Structures are given as C-alpha cells and as structure tokens.
Amino acid sequence: MASGNVLRRTILAAALVVPVALPALAWAAQEAETTRFVREARQLEASPLQPGAQDMRRWLLNWTMETPDYQVIICPVLGLPETVDEETSIAPEILAQQMFGNLAYQITQGSDGDEVDRQLAGVESALKAYAVFLKADPALKIPGVDHLAALQKAGTLRAHVAAVLEEKCSGDAPRETLRLDADDAAPPVRGPFLGDFLRGTSVVYPMQVGQWHAVDERRYDDVLGGASIRFARPGDTSGWIDLYFYPVGLQEPAEQQTMAEGEREALLDARRELMASERDMSALQPLVVPVASLGAGGPARVDANALDFSYSSKGKAYSSVMIFAVDRMYAIKLRYSVEAATASRQQARREAEAFFRTMLSGVQVSSFGTCGRVPAADQLRLRAGCEGVDPLLPVVGEGQRELRFEYPAPHGAAAR
C-alpha cells in the first residue's frame, strides 16, 4: 500500500504540526481550491481505493504543505504501529486521512474552536477510510485503530481523544514538525492513472444549449481539477450555469454513487453558512439521462444524481441545483444558481435537468492511453470512451469547441 518513506517514519511522533497558509489568490480561485480540498478529502474517506486515489492524496498533501493560515496538529491517537510492512500496510494512508479530515473541518467550521473538535474530526475521517479498507481486505487490520472504532461505537471516542491530547499534545509535550516531500509521502504509483492509463482526452462540447451560451472557460492549475465552462443567457444576469469536467477513471455504479455523495457533502460544507438550515438541501435523487450507446449492446443511458437547495448571498436569495454524473471516465458536474425572484427551486431544477440532458447527449468525450487495453466488455459496460493507446484527432464541428487534456507520464514513471 505504501512505501517506506518520511510519512511512515513519523507515524509515532508525539505530535505532528503542519503549518499551512492560504495562497495569495483571488477570492474565487481560493474558494475553488478549498472547496476542492474538502470535496476530495470527503471522497477519499468514503472511497479510499477509488481510481485516482493516489493522485488525490498527492494533491491534498501538496496543498496541506504549501498552504500558512491553518495549523494541523496530528496527535498520536490512532494507535498506529511503530514499524509497518512496506508493501501492505495502510498506516500511512490512515494517517494522511487524519490530516485531511482535520483540515477539511477547519475549512468548513473555522479554526477558532476547540482543538478537541478538530482532532476528533480528523480521527473520525480516518476511521471512515479504515472501515472501507477493511471491507476490501480484512488482513489490513490495525489493532490500535480497531480500538478507536470500538470507542466510537461505545460513544467514548471524544473523551479518549481529549485525554490523549491533554497528555501528549499540550503544554510542554514534545512536538515534531512534519516535513514531507509530496513524492516521498504519497504511495508509489504502479501504472499511474494520469500519464499512463489515461494519457489524453478530448472533450468537444456545444457552445450553445437552448438559450444558454458558453461565455467563459477555465482550466485549473492541477490536472486533477480538470476544467469548467460557464454558460449564461444573453442579457440575463440573474443566473448562470457552471459545467465541470475532471478525470476519475473507470467507476463502478457503487463508486459513482459514493462520489456523488461526496460532492453533496462538499457542497453542503461550502454553502452551510449561507443556508437557512442544512436540512434545506434536498437528498440526492436519481436522474436518468438518455445518450447514444458507445457500441452495440452498450448502455444508452447515464445514471446521474441531482439535488436542489436555497441560499442567500449579499442580500439576495438564490435557487441552486447540482447534477453529478460519471461518463467516459470523467466526472461531469453541473452547478446552476439563479435569483429566487427569477426562478423557484422547482423551476431551477427543471431548467438544469433539461440543460444537462441536452448537453450530455451532445458532448463528445474520447480518451487514449493504456485504458485501451481494458477488456472490450468492461469498456462497453462502463462507457469508458477510450479509443486506443495512441493520440486521437477529434472532429470539431461548427458551433462546437474542444477542451483538450494531455497527461504526461509522472516524473520517474515511463508510460508503457
């Protein structure tokens, strides 16, 4: 699972202090970074073995180390072993998840509260990921973490965390500053997702969907962030649609559902303070989108999830919708916000669903890489959209635009 690296060698440090600061970015870009951090931290705790998990951990670790307005104190409450097997232990991943859960809590709840709350958030995040690892392979069991799971079930986990924090991580208790190199800290890449399995993708999308016109396109600095396209109606400033594409690889239906739930949790975290109540956000609801089959006998539908909610910002009330789907190895997410005076939640939901159905039936997503060697039956069943190992040249017609992603092989990893 993990290599012998700095992360593993620091597992039993009395306390690990990770100072992080928000980069000097524009507010919108800063919000996007923190929203992504929370989203991916939640996705990893719910699905730590998903395709691309190693790349997600690498990005989260980089962000944690490079960003000085937050401080993450990782107290040794997990009961991780002092030495671990280089190839099979999940201890480094569990420790990393503790960090991510702690920082995600600070981003969403603030850093001025009780340190016990922050510590507990990190531990609970690690326990969620641990449970998924064990379900996949019971041999990965770690007795110390099992003990914490039992304490959680008994309702005494918080008291235990508070006691350990008081004994080992407060006052004059020794502390160690965690210094990790991102490449050293992340699990080794064996047949990397980006740069090998997926070497490049072409997304050809329509510039107009009904009354909506594409007005802006944004690529995110990190390749896992993908890109987004903003659509607006000419002369109408009351609402906008943002459409996101980012790579996730081949996903089974259960994994897609887990990702959708992670997206909802991240959105709730980001908008909670702007909502009357978190109960105001609807549950995820299934949305079937008819599409063209990618081959004879393949599925002619994409199973998406949708939700709606209301929020207020700068004195205005808004109706908002999110739709999330995975198709052709990419997460495709729609966010629609419109002034409530223009459209109710129900109206916004209908508009968003109509847009998504039309858009998805017209967008072309085609990729190349070693994904082309996946058995044909699996490619067809999961709508892989992988057209082989070699680069491809799509046809971009009138009224269309191409988003092209190129994924070079990671440093030190040769594409095969």
Side-chain angles (χ1 to χ4, degrees):
M1 283 293 174
S3 62
N5 51 40
V6 175
L7 181 59
R8 191 175 69 250
R9 291 197 298 270
T10 58
I11 283 174
L12 288 186
L16 307 179
V17 182
V18 184
V20 284
L22 293 173
L25 301 173
W27 180 85
Q30 175 178 313
E31 183 186 38
E33 291 275 299
T34 54
T35 298
R36 178 183 171 187
F37 186 96
V38 173
R39 180 189 74 218
E40 295 197 0
R42 300 300 186 220
Q43 288 178 356
L44 275 180
E45 74 181 21
S47 185
L49 290 166
Q50 66 182 274
Q54 294 173 346
D55 295 314
M56 292 168 68
R57 287 191 189 92
R58 186 174 290 110
W59 184 85
L60 290 168
L61 282 166
N62 270 323
W63 201 89
T64 299
M65 291 183 290
E66 292 174 2
T67 65
D69 284 343
Y70 295 106
Q71 185 182 65
V72 181
I73 301 173
I74 306 299
C75 212
V77 298
L78 288 177
L80 299 175
E82 186 170 357
T83 59
V84 296
D85 184 274
E86 182 171 328
E87 294 298 324
T88 62
S89 177
I90 57 170
E93 286 87 345
I94 299 303
L95 176 59
Q97 191 62 46
Q98 183 187 9
M99 294 167 57
F100 304 154
N102 185 314
L103 184 49
Y105 177 87
Q106 293 190 53
I107 291 171
T108 59
Q109 302 298 322
S111 301
D112 298 329
D114 191 341
E115 177 63 30
V116 175
D117 290 334
R118 296 191 285 275
Q119 291 293 324
L120 185 63
V123 172
E124 289 179 336
S125 181
L127 287 175
K128 289 179 181 178
Y130 177 71
V132 179
F133 275 120
L134 281 197
K135 186 175 181 180
D137 185 357
L140 299 174
K141 183 181 290 288
I142 300 174
V145 184
D146 286 336
H147 176 63
L148 293 185
L151 292 177
Q152 184 182 46
K153 187 174 181 179
T156 58
L157 181 60
R158 180 184 175 85
H160 175 79
V161 169
V164 175
L165 184 65
E166 175 66 25
E167 178 185 354
K168 298 184 178 181
C169 305
S170 62
D172 296 327
R175 298 187 179 194
E176 180 174 330
T177 301
L178 179 61
R179 292 288 181 260
L180 295 176
D181 175 79
D183 290 332
D184 190 38
V189 176
R190 299 184 179 90
F193 169 46
L194 296 184
D196 184 34
F197 188 83
L198 190 59
R199 296 175 184 171
T201 299
S202 169
V203 177
V204 179
Y205 66 90
M207 294 287 289
Q208 181 176 349
V209 178
Q211 297 179 330
W212 297 90
H213 294 253
V215 296
D216 190 27
E217 186 179 282
R218 178 184 177 190
R219 291 175 179 269
Y220 295 92
D221 292 337
D222 188 87
V223 291
L224 278 171
S228 63
I229 307 152
R230 173 156 290 190
F231 287 81
R233 288 178 288 211
D236 183 356
T237 60
S238 66
W240 62 94
I241 290 175
D242 288 324
L243 193 63
Y244 299 83
F245 293 87
Y246 57 91
V248 296
L250 291 175
Q251 297 276 324
E252 295 287 347
E255 294 171 322
Q256 296 177 25
Q257 184 65 33
T258 296
M259 291 192 69
E261 291 166 355
E263 290 285 350
R264 182 187 185 278
E265 186 67 25
L267 179 59
L268 181 59
D269 286 340
R271 289 286 183 264
R272 182 178 280 110
E273 293 184 359
L274 302 178
M275 296 167 57
S277 167
E278 65 179 58
R279 292 187 296 274
D280 191 43
M281 180 178 287
S282 74
L284 290 171
Q285 296 162 336
L287 174 67
V288 175
V289 183
V291 292
S293 173
L294 300 182
R301 58 182 281 175
V302 169
D303 292 313
N305 283 278
L307 61 80
D308 57 80
F309 65 102
S310 301
Y311 71 93
S312 297
S313 179
K314 298 180 180 179
K316 288 187 178 181
Y318 289 89
S319 301
S320 193
V321 180
M322 182 188 80
I323 302 176
F324 180 84
V326 174
D327 187 30
R328 289 163 283 185
M329 296 193 293
Y330 274 73
I332 304 174
K333 180 175 67 173
L334 175 148
R335 283 289 314 282
Y336 177 30
S337 291
V338 60
E339 293 177 15
T342 300
S344 67
R345 283 173 57 172
Q346 293 75 19
Q347 291 172 320
R349 178 76 169 260
R350 288 194 295 270
E351 291 178 7
E353 291 182 0
F355 177 100
F356 196 79
R357 285 193 173 99
T358 302
M359 181 281 304
L360 197 56
S361 66
V363 73
Q364 305 166 36
V365 183
S366 50
S367 301
F368 67 94
T370 58
C371 55
R373 299 175 185 148
V374 172
D378 288 336
Q379 286 216 38
L380 188 61
R381 177 175 62 87
L382 297 175
R383 292 181 55 84
C386 196
E387 299 191 6
V389 177
D390 299 321
L392 47 88
L393 186 62
V395 176
V396 182
E398 185 177 354
Q400 296 179 317
R401 179 175 171 83
E402 181 191 18
L403 265 174
R404 193 168 184 86
F405 301 100
E406 299 286 350
Y407 303 118
H411 178 69
R416 295 182 295 280

